[in-house]
Structure formats: structure tokens, C-alpha cells
Amino acid sequence: LAGVVGAVVGSPIFLVKTHLQTSSSAGISVGTQHRHGSMVRAFQNLYREGGVRGLWQGVTTSIPRIGVGSAAQLVTYSCVMDSLDRNTSFKSGSWQSNVMGAVLSGFVVAVAINPLDVVSTRMYNQPGQARLYSGYMDCVRKIVTREGLTAFYKGLFAQYLRIGPHSFLSLIFWHHSRSWLGLVRP
């Protein structure tokens, strides 16, 4: 729930970041170019073009991403830890189980959220007025129709290189914090 609230609250910042990161010179530009010039100007332009609602353009794509990512991370980590506890000689909660659970969890998260990130990026980067997609499912349908299912896995390796270490460190820290607080079962 915290991740979903964070995604909704932070959505305008993610929108501005996406606009600024995808902006490039005319000779090499790909996709919609927003030409805001600065972060402050981007917020001003987005508000002028779409009001408060314009600042949250694309927010509906963040919610599934965060929900699926969090669920995939925690479920995978817990399942791997439990499976290793039952099927290996590793001591329950050992560093080996912890590392394996965290590494595999990062991989599953990357595979699970990459399609959602592709849709999210497309929705966040579309023009303010002349929309390319009428909504989430329209974006999914157009990607499948025009580019095929493999389009949802563009950037998967880069996704793993980003989310893998994040997931690993988060889960290791979470596990050790729980241990230090006496919250891990014997």
C-alpha cells in the first residue's frame, strides 16, 4: 500500500523526469519531444496544458507496476527462503538462503514489471493534448498489434541491472533488520 501511495504522490515528478530524460536534439530525437527546458518549466507547462489532472498524466500505469513489483519481490523472496529451508542443508535464515532469495527475487521482479514499465513510459511520454493512447489497455493493445509481445521486454537486461541490486539490498537489509529486532522465526 505504501508503494502505491508513493507512486500516486510522486507521479508528477516521475512525469517530469520522463519528459526531461526523453528530450533530445532534433537530429536524434525519438518519440514525443516536450522541450520544457527545466524542471520548473515542465511543471508550469504541464499545469497550463492540463491543470492538476495534467500533472498526474500516466499515474494509472504506476499503480499496477508498484503492486506487481512489490508482490513479486516479497512472494518470491519468501518462497525461495522457505524452499531452501526445507530442501537444503542451509540453516534457516542463513546468509546463503538470504542471498539466493534476494537474487532470484530481483530477477522475478525485473521480468514481472518490465512490460508494465514499457506501458508506463509510453503513457508518461505521450503528448499532452494529441494523445497517442486513450488509456492503459489501448496502449497495451497498440504495442501488441504494432510491435508484438516481445516489445514488452525491451530493456529487460537494463531493468535487471537496475532492479536486481535494489531488490537484493532491500531484502538483505529487511532480513537483517528483522533479525536484529527479533522478528525472524527460529
Side-chain angles (χ1 to χ4, degrees):
L1 182 61
V4 171
V5 171
V8 171
V9 171
S11 187
I13 296 167
F14 189 82
L15 174 62
V16 167
K17 175 201 71 93
T18 301
H19 282 200
L20 294 173
Q21 286 180 337
T22 57
S23 181
S24 63
S25 64
I28 61 168
S29 66
V30 175
T32 302
Q33 297 296 299
H34 298 280
R35 308 275 185 239
H36 296 300
S38 72
M39 185 174 77
V40 171
R41 177 60 70 200
F43 281 114
Q44 291 169 337
N45 292 344
L46 287 164
Y47 182 77
R48 188 174 13 84
E49 291 174 11
V52 172
R53 187 173 184 189
L55 292 170
W56 271 268
Q57 167 187 317
V59 69
T60 57
T61 64
S62 294
I63 295 168
R65 179 201 187 275
I66 295 297
V68 168
S70 296
Q73 181 182 44
L74 295 175
V75 168
T76 302
Y77 181 73
S78 295
C79 286
V80 168
M81 294 284 285
D82 289 345
S83 180
L84 290 172
D85 287 350
R86 284 190 319 272
N87 302 310
T88 68
S89 61
F90 295 148
K91 182 180 169 214
S92 180
S94 69
W95 70 267
Q96 296 96 333
S97 296
N98 203 358
V99 167
M100 288 296 294
V103 168
L104 289 172
S105 178
F107 175 75
V108 170
V109 170
V111 170
I113 70 170
N114 207 78
L116 303 170
D117 275 355
V118 169
V119 174
S120 181
T121 301
R122 305 279 177 98
M123 294 291 289
Y124 273 106
N125 195 41
Q126 67 180 330
Q129 299 301 322
R131 303 240 182 231
L132 303 172
Y133 311 106
S134 62
Y136 192 90
M137 292 311 296
D138 182 52
C139 183
V140 170
R141 183 180 53 75
K142 286 179 179 172
I143 291 170
V144 170
T145 304
R146 295 176 184 165
E147 302 171 63
L149 291 174
T150 57
F152 291 113
Y153 289 95
K154 289 179 178 179
L156 178 61
F157 185 64
Q159 175 81 278
Y160 180 70
L161 291 179
R162 189 195 79 69
I163 204 75
H166 167 77
S167 183
F168 178 81
L169 292 172
S170 296
L171 292 168
I172 298 290
F173 179 74
W174 179 65
H175 177 79
H176 286 290
S177 296
R178 290 180 63 224
S179 294
W180 294 326
L181 293 170
L183 301 174
V184 176
R185 69 183 191 280

